[in-house]
PDB file of all heavy atoms in Angstrom:
ATOM      1  N   THR Z   1       0.852  -1.188   0.000  1.00 94.00           N
ATOM      2  CA  THR Z   1       0.000   0.000   0.000  1.00 94.00           C
ATOM      3  C   THR Z   1       0.891   1.243   0.000  1.00 94.00           C
ATOM      4  O   THR Z   1       1.897   1.290   0.704  1.00 94.00           O
ATOM      5  CB  THR Z   1      -0.897   0.011   1.250  1.00 94.00           C
ATOM      6  OG1 THR Z   1      -1.603  -1.240   1.316  1.00 94.00           O
ATOM      7  CG2 THR Z   1      -1.898   1.148   1.205  1.00 94.00           C
ATOM      8  N   ARG Z   2       0.512   2.242  -0.760  1.00 90.00           N
ATOM      9  CA  ARG Z   2       1.350   3.426  -0.917  1.00 90.00           C
ATOM     10  C   ARG Z   2       1.307   4.282   0.361  1.00 90.00           C
ATOM     11  O   ARG Z   2       0.451   5.152   0.522  1.00 90.00           O
ATOM     12  CB  ARG Z   2       0.888   4.236  -2.124  1.00 90.00           C
ATOM     13  CG  ARG Z   2       1.948   5.202  -2.671  1.00 90.00           C
ATOM     14  CD  ARG Z   2       1.511   5.815  -3.982  1.00 90.00           C
ATOM     15  NE  ARG Z   2       1.436   4.849  -5.057  1.00 90.00           N
ATOM     16  CZ  ARG Z   2       2.486   4.355  -5.708  1.00 90.00           C
ATOM     17  NH1 ARG Z   2       3.705   4.725  -5.372  1.00 90.00           N
ATOM     18  NH2 ARG Z   2       2.315   3.491  -6.685  1.00 90.00           N
ATOM     19  N   THR Z   3       2.234   4.008   1.254  1.00 87.00           N
ATOM     20  CA  THR Z   3       2.358   4.726   2.519  1.00 87.00           C
ATOM     21  C   THR Z   3       3.822   5.077   2.750  1.00 87.00           C
ATOM     22  O   THR Z   3       4.718   4.601   2.031  1.00 87.00           O
ATOM     23  CB  THR Z   3       1.881   3.854   3.697  1.00 87.00           C
ATOM     24  OG1 THR Z   3       2.729   2.704   3.783  1.00 87.00           O
ATOM     25  CG2 THR Z   3       0.430   3.416   3.534  1.00 87.00           C
ATOM     26  N   ALA Z   4       4.078   5.875   3.789  1.00 82.00           N
ATOM     27  CA  ALA Z   4       5.462   6.226   4.132  1.00 82.00           C
ATOM     28  C   ALA Z   4       6.254   4.983   4.519  1.00 82.00           C
ATOM     29  O   ALA Z   4       7.451   4.874   4.222  1.00 82.00           O
ATOM     30  CB  ALA Z   4       5.470   7.250   5.267  1.00 82.00           C
ATOM     31  N   ARG Z   5       5.607   4.037   5.189  1.00 79.00           N
ATOM     32  CA  ARG Z   5       6.259   2.779   5.572  1.00 79.00           C
ATOM     33  C   ARG Z   5       6.733   2.026   4.333  1.00 79.00           C
ATOM     34  O   ARG Z   5       7.875   1.563   4.267  1.00 79.00           O
ATOM     35  CB  ARG Z   5       5.274   1.936   6.384  1.00 79.00           C
ATOM     36  CG  ARG Z   5       5.555   0.444   6.439  1.00 79.00           C
ATOM     37  CD  ARG Z   5       6.636   0.077   7.387  1.00 79.00           C
ATOM     38  NE  ARG Z   5       6.672  -1.371   7.617  1.00 79.00           N
ATOM     39  CZ  ARG Z   5       7.667  -2.012   8.193  1.00 79.00           C
ATOM     40  NH1 ARG Z   5       8.722  -1.346   8.600  1.00 79.00           N
ATOM     41  NH2 ARG Z   5       7.617  -3.314   8.377  1.00 79.00           N
ATOM     42  N   VAL Z   6       5.879   1.899   3.338  1.00 84.00           N
ATOM     43  CA  VAL Z   6       6.257   1.188   2.117  1.00 84.00           C
ATOM     44  C   VAL Z   6       7.325   1.974   1.353  1.00 84.00           C
ATOM     45  O   VAL Z   6       8.246   1.374   0.770  1.00 84.00           O
ATOM     46  CB  VAL Z   6       5.011   0.918   1.247  1.00 84.00           C
ATOM     47  CG1 VAL Z   6       5.397   0.487  -0.164  1.00 84.00           C
ATOM     48  CG2 VAL Z   6       4.158  -0.158   1.904  1.00 84.00           C
ATOM     49  N   ALA Z   7       7.225   3.295   1.380  1.00 86.00           N
ATOM     50  CA  ALA Z   7       8.263   4.103   0.725  1.00 86.00           C
ATOM     51  C   ALA Z   7       9.633   3.819   1.329  1.00 86.00           C
ATOM     52  O   ALA Z   7      10.633   3.705   0.607  1.00 86.00           O
ATOM     53  CB  ALA Z   7       7.923   5.583   0.836  1.00 86.00           C
ATOM     54  N   SER Z   8       9.685   3.661   2.655  1.00 84.00           N
ATOM     55  CA  SER Z   8      10.965   3.371   3.302  1.00 84.00           C
ATOM     56  C   SER Z   8      11.457   1.970   2.952  1.00 84.00           C
ATOM     57  O   SER Z   8      12.659   1.733   2.786  1.00 84.00           O
ATOM     58  CB  SER Z   8      10.853   3.536   4.824  1.00 84.00           C
ATOM     59  OG  SER Z   8      10.051   2.525   5.392  1.00 84.00           O
ATOM     60  N   LEU Z   9      10.535   1.009   2.823  1.00 80.00           N
ATOM     61  CA  LEU Z   9      10.919  -0.350   2.428  1.00 80.00           C
ATOM     62  C   LEU Z   9      11.433  -0.372   0.991  1.00 80.00           C
ATOM     63  O   LEU Z   9      12.392  -1.090   0.675  1.00 80.00           O
ATOM     64  CB  LEU Z   9       9.735  -1.297   2.582  1.00 80.00           C
ATOM     65  CG  LEU Z   9       9.261  -1.567   4.012  1.00 80.00           C
ATOM     66  CD1 LEU Z   9       8.004  -2.426   3.995  1.00 80.00           C
ATOM     67  CD2 LEU Z   9      10.354  -2.228   4.842  1.00 80.00           C
ATOM     68  N   LEU Z  10      10.800   0.405   0.127  1.00 87.00           N
ATOM     69  CA  LEU Z  10      11.269   0.480  -1.254  1.00 87.00           C
ATOM     70  C   LEU Z  10      12.654   1.105  -1.326  1.00 87.00           C
ATOM     71  O   LEU Z  10      13.514   0.667  -2.111  1.00 87.00           O
ATOM     72  CB  LEU Z  10      10.280   1.286  -2.106  1.00 87.00           C
ATOM     73  CG  LEU Z  10       8.923   0.646  -2.369  1.00 87.00           C
ATOM     74  CD1 LEU Z  10       8.008   1.616  -3.090  1.00 87.00           C
ATOM     75  CD2 LEU Z  10       9.062  -0.638  -3.166  1.00 87.00           C
ATOM     76  N   GLU Z  11      12.874   2.109  -0.510  1.00 88.00           N
ATOM     77  CA  GLU Z  11      14.192   2.747  -0.460  1.00 88.00           C
ATOM     78  C   GLU Z  11      15.248   1.753   0.024  1.00 88.00           C
ATOM     79  O   GLU Z  11      16.364   1.685  -0.522  1.00 88.00           O
ATOM     80  CB  GLU Z  11      14.136   3.968   0.461  1.00 88.00           C
ATOM     81  CG  GLU Z  11      15.454   4.730   0.583  1.00 88.00           C
ATOM     82  CD  GLU Z  11      15.910   5.350  -0.718  1.00 88.00           C
ATOM     83  OE1 GLU Z  11      15.051   5.788  -1.507  1.00 88.00           O
ATOM     84  OE2 GLU Z  11      17.138   5.388  -0.951  1.00 88.00           O
ATOM     85  N   ALA Z  12      14.898   0.972   1.058  1.00 83.00           N
ATOM     86  CA  ALA Z  12      15.829  -0.033   1.576  1.00 83.00           C
ATOM     87  C   ALA Z  12      16.140  -1.087   0.514  1.00 83.00           C
ATOM     88  O   ALA Z  12      17.291  -1.500   0.344  1.00 83.00           O
ATOM     89  CB  ALA Z  12      15.249  -0.690   2.818  1.00 83.00           C
ATOM     90  N   ARG Z  13      15.112  -1.518  -0.213  1.00 84.00           N
ATOM     91  CA  ARG Z  13      15.333  -2.505  -1.276  1.00 84.00           C
ATOM     92  C   ARG Z  13      16.179  -1.911  -2.397  1.00 84.00           C
ATOM     93  O   ARG Z  13      17.063  -2.586  -2.947  1.00 84.00           O
ATOM     94  CB  ARG Z  13      13.996  -2.996  -1.822  1.00 84.00           C
ATOM     95  CG  ARG Z  13      14.141  -3.988  -2.971  1.00 84.00           C
ATOM     96  CD  ARG Z  13      12.816  -4.606  -3.385  1.00 84.00           C
ATOM     97  NE  ARG Z  13      12.328  -5.545  -2.385  1.00 84.00           N
ATOM     98  CZ  ARG Z  13      11.359  -6.430  -2.635  1.00 84.00           C
ATOM     99  NH1 ARG Z  13      10.795  -6.496  -3.828  1.00 84.00           N
ATOM    100  NH2 ARG Z  13      10.957  -7.258  -1.682  1.00 84.00           N
ATOM    101  N   SER Z  14      15.919  -0.657  -2.713  1.00 87.00           N
ATOM    102  CA  SER Z  14      16.695   0.028  -3.742  1.00 87.00           C
ATOM    103  C   SER Z  14      18.183   0.027  -3.401  1.00 87.00           C
ATOM    104  O   SER Z  14      19.034  -0.288  -4.242  1.00 87.00           O
ATOM    105  CB  SER Z  14      16.176   1.467  -3.895  1.00 87.00           C
ATOM    106  OG  SER Z  14      17.100   2.285  -4.558  1.00 87.00           O
ATOM    107  N   GLN Z  15      18.485   0.343  -2.160  1.00 88.00           N
ATOM    108  CA  GLN Z  15      19.884   0.411  -1.741  1.00 88.00           C
ATOM    109  C   GLN Z  15      20.523  -0.971  -1.674  1.00 88.00           C
ATOM    110  O   GLN Z  15      21.678  -1.156  -2.087  1.00 88.00           O
ATOM    111  CB  GLN Z  15      19.979   1.116  -0.392  1.00 88.00           C
ATOM    112  CG  GLN Z  15      19.598   2.591  -0.456  1.00 88.00           C
ATOM    113  CD  GLN Z  15      19.666   3.275   0.895  1.00 88.00           C
ATOM    114  OE1 GLN Z  15      20.092   2.688   1.889  1.00 88.00           O
ATOM    115  NE2 GLN Z  15      19.239   4.527   0.957  1.00 88.00           N
ATOM    116  N   SER Z  16      19.796  -1.950  -1.156  1.00 83.00           N
ATOM    117  CA  SER Z  16      20.391  -3.283  -0.992  1.00 83.00           C
ATOM    118  C   SER Z  16      20.604  -3.993  -2.331  1.00 83.00           C
ATOM    119  O   SER Z  16      21.535  -4.795  -2.470  1.00 83.00           O
ATOM    120  CB  SER Z  16      19.516  -4.144  -0.078  1.00 83.00           C
ATOM    121  OG  SER Z  16      18.291  -4.463  -0.709  1.00 83.00           O
ATOM    122  N   GLU Z  17      19.759  -3.689  -3.332  1.00 89.00           N
ATOM    123  CA  GLU Z  17      19.851  -4.372  -4.616  1.00 89.00           C
ATOM    124  C   GLU Z  17      20.507  -3.529  -5.702  1.00 89.00           C
ATOM    125  O   GLU Z  17      20.704  -3.999  -6.832  1.00 89.00           O
ATOM    126  CB  GLU Z  17      18.457  -4.819  -5.072  1.00 89.00           C
ATOM    127  CG  GLU Z  17      17.804  -5.814  -4.123  1.00 89.00           C
ATOM    128  CD  GLU Z  17      16.428  -6.263  -4.566  1.00 89.00           C
ATOM    129  OE1 GLU Z  17      16.039  -5.937  -5.715  1.00 89.00           O
ATOM    130  OE2 GLU Z  17      15.745  -6.934  -3.779  1.00 89.00           O
ATOM    131  N   GLY Z  18      20.850  -2.271  -5.354  1.00 91.00           N
ATOM    132  CA  GLY Z  18      21.522  -1.408  -6.318  1.00 91.00           C
ATOM    133  C   GLY Z  18      20.657  -1.024  -7.498  1.00 91.00           C
ATOM    134  O   GLY Z  18      21.136  -0.921  -8.639  1.00 91.00           O
ATOM    135  N   ILE Z  19      19.362  -0.810  -7.249  1.00 92.00           N
ATOM    136  CA  ILE Z  19      18.433  -0.397  -8.298  1.00 92.00           C
ATOM    137  C   ILE Z  19      17.726   0.874  -7.864  1.00 92.00           C
ATOM    138  O   ILE Z  19      17.808   1.283  -6.699  1.00 92.00           O
ATOM    139  CB  ILE Z  19      17.395  -1.505  -8.593  1.00 92.00           C
ATOM    140  CG1 ILE Z  19      16.594  -1.851  -7.320  1.00 92.00           C
ATOM    141  CG2 ILE Z  19      18.077  -2.745  -9.158  1.00 92.00           C
ATOM    142  CD1 ILE Z  19      15.497  -2.893  -7.539  1.00 92.00           C
ATOM    143  N   SER Z  20      17.014   1.510  -8.770  1.00 91.00           N
ATOM    144  CA  SER Z  20      16.277   2.719  -8.420  1.00 91.00           C
ATOM    145  C   SER Z  20      15.028   2.369  -7.619  1.00 91.00           C
ATOM    146  O   SER Z  20      14.563   1.216  -7.639  1.00 91.00           O
ATOM    147  CB  SER Z  20      15.873   3.483  -9.685  1.00 91.00           C
ATOM    148  OG  SER Z  20      14.882   2.764 -10.398  1.00 91.00           O
ATOM    149  N   VAL Z  21      14.475   3.357  -6.932  1.00 88.00           N
ATOM    150  CA  VAL Z  21      13.231   3.158  -6.184  1.00 88.00           C
ATOM    151  C   VAL Z  21      12.105   2.766  -7.144  1.00 88.00           C
ATOM    152  O   VAL Z  21      11.266   1.909  -6.830  1.00 88.00           O
ATOM    153  CB  VAL Z  21      12.866   4.420  -5.382  1.00 88.00           C
ATOM    154  CG1 VAL Z  21      11.478   4.285  -4.769  1.00 88.00           C
ATOM    155  CG2 VAL Z  21      13.899   4.691  -4.295  1.00 88.00           C
ATOM    156  N   GLU Z  22      12.095   3.387  -8.321  1.00 91.00           N
ATOM    157  CA  GLU Z  22      11.066   3.075  -9.315  1.00 91.00           C
ATOM    158  C   GLU Z  22      11.168   1.618  -9.771  1.00 91.00           C
ATOM    159  O   GLU Z  22      10.157   0.932  -9.931  1.00 91.00           O
ATOM    160  CB  GLU Z  22      11.201   4.010 -10.522  1.00 91.00           C
ATOM    161  CG  GLU Z  22      10.857   5.464 -10.255  1.00 91.00           C
ATOM    162  CD  GLU Z  22      11.925   6.206  -9.448  1.00 91.00           C
ATOM    163  OE1 GLU Z  22      13.089   5.740  -9.405  1.00 91.00           O
ATOM    164  OE2 GLU Z  22      11.582   7.246  -8.860  1.00 91.00           O
ATOM    165  N   GLU Z  23      12.404   1.166  -9.952  1.00 90.00           N
ATOM    166  CA  GLU Z  23      12.593  -0.246 -10.330  1.00 90.00           C
ATOM    167  C   GLU Z  23      12.189  -1.173  -9.197  1.00 90.00           C
ATOM    168  O   GLU Z  23      11.601  -2.242  -9.429  1.00 90.00           O
ATOM    169  CB  GLU Z  23      14.053  -0.484 -10.711  1.00 90.00           C
ATOM    170  CG  GLU Z  23      14.455   0.142 -12.038  1.00 90.00           C
ATOM    171  CD  GLU Z  23      15.957   0.061 -12.278  1.00 90.00           C
ATOM    172  OE1 GLU Z  23      16.735   0.294 -11.333  1.00 90.00           O
ATOM    173  OE2 GLU Z  23      16.338  -0.232 -13.425  1.00 90.00           O
ATOM    174  N   ALA Z  24      12.485  -0.764  -7.951  1.00 88.00           N
ATOM    175  CA  ALA Z  24      12.096  -1.569  -6.798  1.00 88.00           C
ATOM    176  C   ALA Z  24      10.584  -1.695  -6.719  1.00 88.00           C
ATOM    177  O   ALA Z  24      10.046  -2.782  -6.451  1.00 88.00           O
ATOM    178  CB  ALA Z  24      12.653  -0.951  -5.515  1.00 88.00           C
TER     179      ALA Z  24
END
């Protein structure tokens, strides 16, 4: 669900996998 919590999880995935937030 599009919330601040999910935004932070997407950011974490972006950093750990070396991809953009949009790709995550």
Side-chain angles (χ1 to χ4, degrees):
T1 307
R2 200 171 293 283
T3 63
R5 159 78 168 166
V6 166
S8 69
L9 293 175
L10 291 174
E11 181 64 35
R13 178 172 289 195
S14 162
Q15 293 179 5
S16 69
E17 298 180 9
I19 59 177
S20 69
V21 172
E22 291 74 20
E23 288 171 318

